[in-house]
Amino acid sequence: HGLAAARGGGAVLLLPAAESATESATESAAEPATGPASASRVAAAVAAQLGAAAGVPVTVGASAPVPAPAADPRAVAGAYAEARRCVDALRLLGRRGEGAAAEDFGFLGMLLTDARDVDGFVRRTLGPVLDYDARRGTGLVATLDAYFACGMSPARAKDRLHVHVNTVAQRLERVARLLGDDWQSPERALETQLALRLHRLSGAITGPTGPGPGTP
């Protein structure tokens, strides 16, 4: 239920997200889908299935969904370009034989897609913390801001926040439970700091929407 064509030394598949991708070997896949997560799953499935069938690593890049390719063929051309950028990124990162969409590259994914989905990146990176603050009226986001601004020092962050150091430690423990124990690893910390800045910039443009600092 899809289309396949050879182009640019590889194959291009236009696949419905609900299908299991089992077509012939591919290097890039532009697909109509119901959500961006589907692109990631289909890319991984195509890479695994075709790699096993071909007996060699198959690198697959997927575009964001194309809602109506028949009605807007130009969107397919744009999706192909995005999928190719994902393939190139996988190769440059030494990830041959894998399948991925822009969302799988963290903040780098914003450079691979024309959509520049800043809000989506912020949600994927900080969503659990933002939601927790919204529900509880806590200050986890403010604590993260202060923590990184103070060189990841709880002792200096507590002076910036005007709270006890134990309060900072408790909030950071809550962050770890929400984001995962590896949230302070170099790559995750970089993405978190970027997401915090983008979130702060968005708030400055649209006006304050969330609660102020509270307790965990």
Side-chain angles (χ1 to χ4, degrees):
H1 304 293
L3 298 173
R7 185 181 181 88
V12 184
L13 303 183
L14 187 66
L15 299 174
E19 298 293 330
S20 297
T22 57
E23 284 79 356
S24 57
T26 181
E27 286 189 330
S28 61
E31 54 167 307
T34 56
S38 298
S40 176
R41 288 195 298 269
V42 171
V46 170
Q49 294 173 17
L50 298 185
V56 295
V58 176
T59 306
V60 177
S63 77
V66 181
D72 186 8
R74 289 175 299 179
V76 177
Y80 168 75
E82 181 180 324
R84 288 293 308 184
R85 289 193 291 269
C86 288
V87 170
D88 292 341
L90 285 169
R91 289 172 172 166
L92 288 171
L93 293 171
R95 295 171 56 184
R96 290 176 181 270
E98 295 185 29
E103 69 195 72
D104 298 311
F105 293 95
F107 70 93
L108 292 175
M110 290 190 293
L111 305 177
L112 301 176
T113 173
D114 293 332
R116 301 293 190 269
D117 185 13
V118 172
D119 289 341
F121 169 72
V122 171
R123 289 297 309 173
R124 288 192 296 272
T125 307
L126 294 176
V129 173
L130 295 171
D131 293 341
Y132 190 90
D133 273 357
R135 290 195 309 268
R136 305 291 186 91
T138 52
L140 299 185
V141 171
T143 301
L144 282 173
D145 266 327
Y147 178 66
F148 285 118
C150 294
M152 301 176 73
S153 167
R156 292 202 295 271
K158 59 99 173 173
D159 294 330
R160 191 183 186 97
L161 294 166
H162 306 291
V163 298
H164 194 276
V165 67
N166 288 345
T167 301
V168 176
Q170 291 169 6
R171 293 180 182 178
L172 295 178
E173 288 176 2
R174 173 65 64 181
V175 168
R177 288 196 289 271
L178 293 170
L179 299 183
D181 291 335
D182 66 336
W183 73 276
Q184 295 189 78
S185 66
E187 183 176 350
R188 293 281 311 275
L190 176 60
E191 292 191 355
T192 300
Q193 291 177 75
L194 178 58
L196 285 167
R197 293 191 180 194
L198 292 171
H199 177 65
R200 188 162 61 246
L201 177 61
S202 175
I205 293 172
T206 61
T209 58
T215 57

